[in-house]
Amino acid sequence: MQLQAHTFISSSSSSHLTKHNLNHVPPFTTLASVNKPLYSTRYVFRRIGPGQFPVLKRIDPLGVVNSNSEGQNPSTSVEKMRNVVEHICLLKAKVDLSDEDEKDMLDFLYTCQYQMRGILAISLGRISDQNLEGYTHAVFMRLQKKEDLSKFYENPFYLGVLKDHVTPYCHEFTYFDYESEVEDDILPIFRKGEEFNFGVEYILLIGFKDSSLGEVADDALTSFAKLLMEFPSLVVQFTKGSNFNPDSKDYTHAVVIRFRSSDAFDIFMGSSEYKDIWMSKFHPITEKKLSISFSVDPVGKELM
């Protein structure tokens, strides 16, 4: 049985939430009203014991979605975090790539998570908009640690997938890797559950000027994280970090954001708050930038 070339997402509970429908939301020029009554508070129901509360999503200053039990005092709660390694692969497909060959390529890349240890999550798809560097497809993977990443690059199954199912269809692919943190809980780590069922995967690669690396670049990324942190009605999860892949040195940092929907993505990217922070914090210190996105569709109903 072939897998569809999309993220496998599921819910660990028989109680499913209703997907946010933002199709009728009027265009925003600012984000000021996004978290007001138009967007009600969202809950994710996990496997919890009798008498326990539903889990309420919130976002911490590190820029990842976290959770608190309803009624718990956030000021007295310290979230336990877990280090992860984020892996990005961007592909340039040949112009004559057929739909059948595209599906074959993405299916086999997606299957890597079942054949190799250490892969915690994966999403992939055709890039929605054209970009200056001509990338056509993107793959995002989350691994447990750097040691797993080293084994991943050398794994015979992965090398066979590249040889037989990627290289025949693509004339170039590029890797980016960075370390980050997520909440030490099964759903945010594995990117499973209703919150990840739909949305847009957004990948931002930034090449900061050498003179800005360090405190100035960190300040820009922290400001961006704080802005994303304020709008859980738009953002499910995001991570950021320094790119340590030696073969893609042009980009010093990477950010991956899962937006709840294409409307949420458009609202945030078109907002004056995002544009202001980019012009004031990023534009003066950025030498190179690449942003791509692809849609995520639900596949399957059981947590694997």
Side-chain angles (χ1 to χ4, degrees):
M1 179 182 71
Q2 278 197 319
L3 296 169
Q4 295 185 35
H6 299 288
T7 306
F8 183 96
I9 297 298
S10 61
S11 173
S12 61
S13 169
S14 59
S15 298
H16 294 276
L17 298 180
T18 301
K19 177 189 173 186
H20 268 301
N21 185 352
L22 302 180
N23 292 331
H24 302 296
V25 175
F28 285 85
T29 55
T30 73
L31 295 173
S33 59
V34 168
N35 280 340
K36 292 184 178 179
L38 182 61
Y39 300 85
S40 58
T41 303
R42 289 175 60 92
Y43 290 88
V44 174
F45 295 92
R46 304 182 181 177
R47 281 189 190 132
I48 53 182
Q52 291 182 282
F53 290 101
V55 174
L56 170 64
K57 290 291 182 178
R58 72 176 180 81
I59 295 183
D60 74 0
L62 292 174
V64 295
V65 169
N66 285 325
S67 61
N68 266 340
S69 291
E70 185 181 16
Q72 183 179 9
N73 185 352
S75 63
T76 60
S77 173
V78 177
E79 297 291 350
K80 184 179 179 182
M81 306 301 291
R82 173 172 174 167
N83 292 330
V84 293
V85 173
E86 311 285 57
H87 169 75
I88 300 166
C89 177
L90 300 183
L91 309 172
K92 293 183 181 180
K94 296 176 180 178
V95 293
D96 58 350
L97 178 69
S98 67
D99 291 343
E100 182 179 355
D101 290 341
E102 178 186 49
K103 185 178 186 301
D104 176 78
M105 176 179 72
L106 295 179
D107 280 352
F108 271 92
L109 285 170
Y110 182 84
T111 307
C112 287
Q113 65 183 313
Y114 304 117
Q115 302 293 331
M116 303 163 59
R117 299 185 61 182
I119 299 177
L120 303 177
I122 182 171
S123 65
L124 73 174
R126 174 181 284 275
I127 295 173
S128 302
D129 300 316
Q130 291 185 346
N131 53 88
L132 292 176
E133 298 200 22
Y135 292 110
T136 58
H137 297 78
V139 181
F140 168 78
M141 292 185 186
R142 173 170 293 165
L143 297 98
Q144 296 186 57
K145 50 192 176 181
K146 280 188 175 182
E147 290 82 358
D148 292 324
L149 183 66
S150 300
K151 294 175 183 177
F152 166 78
Y153 278 120
E154 300 172 356
N155 188 284
F157 178 83
Y158 179 65
L159 294 176
V161 168
L162 292 182
K163 178 178 179 293
D164 298 331
H165 303 282
V166 176
T167 303
Y169 309 137
C170 297
H171 57 81
E172 184 179 332
F173 45 91
T174 309
Y175 297 127
F176 309 87
D177 303 295
Y178 66 95
E179 288 185 284
S180 192
E181 289 185 327
V182 295
E183 182 190 4
D184 193 10
D185 201 355
I186 185 171
L187 295 186
I189 290 173
F190 290 90
R191 305 179 103 219
K192 301 294 185 184
E194 195 76 15
E195 296 288 88
F196 288 97
N197 260 7
F198 304 89
V200 171
E201 203 82 88
Y202 176 67
I203 298 173
L204 173 64
L205 303 173
I206 306 169
F208 287 119
K209 297 176 181 178
D210 290 341
S211 58
S212 301
L213 292 176
E215 185 175 342
V216 178
D218 289 345
D219 175 67
L221 289 169
T222 299
S223 299
F224 189 33
K226 288 180 178 178
L227 179 62
L228 287 164
M229 177 183 69
E230 295 174 0
F231 298 97
S233 59
L234 301 179
V235 178
V236 180
Q237 185 186 69
F238 74 93
T239 58
K240 57 185 175 62
S242 301
N243 175 36
F244 59 80
N245 192 303
D247 295 328
S248 53
K249 293 182 177 179
D250 287 348
Y251 295 100
T252 60
H253 292 75
V255 178
V256 174
I257 307 169
R258 171 64 68 84
F259 286 94
R260 295 192 182 278
S261 68
S262 58
D263 290 318
F265 171 73
D266 291 339
I267 288 169
F268 185 87
M269 301 305 292
S271 69
S272 60
E273 288 91 337
Y274 169 71
K275 293 176 181 178
D276 288 346
I277 206 169
W278 182 265
M279 291 305 297
S280 62
K281 294 287 187 177
F282 286 86
H283 183 70
I285 63 173
T286 298
E287 204 162 53
K288 196 171 185 180
K289 169 194 172 186
L290 176 65
S291 58
I292 65 98
S293 63
F294 59 90
S295 296
V296 175
D297 297 318
V299 179
K301 297 181 179 179
E302 297 299 326
L303 184 63
M304 298 187 64

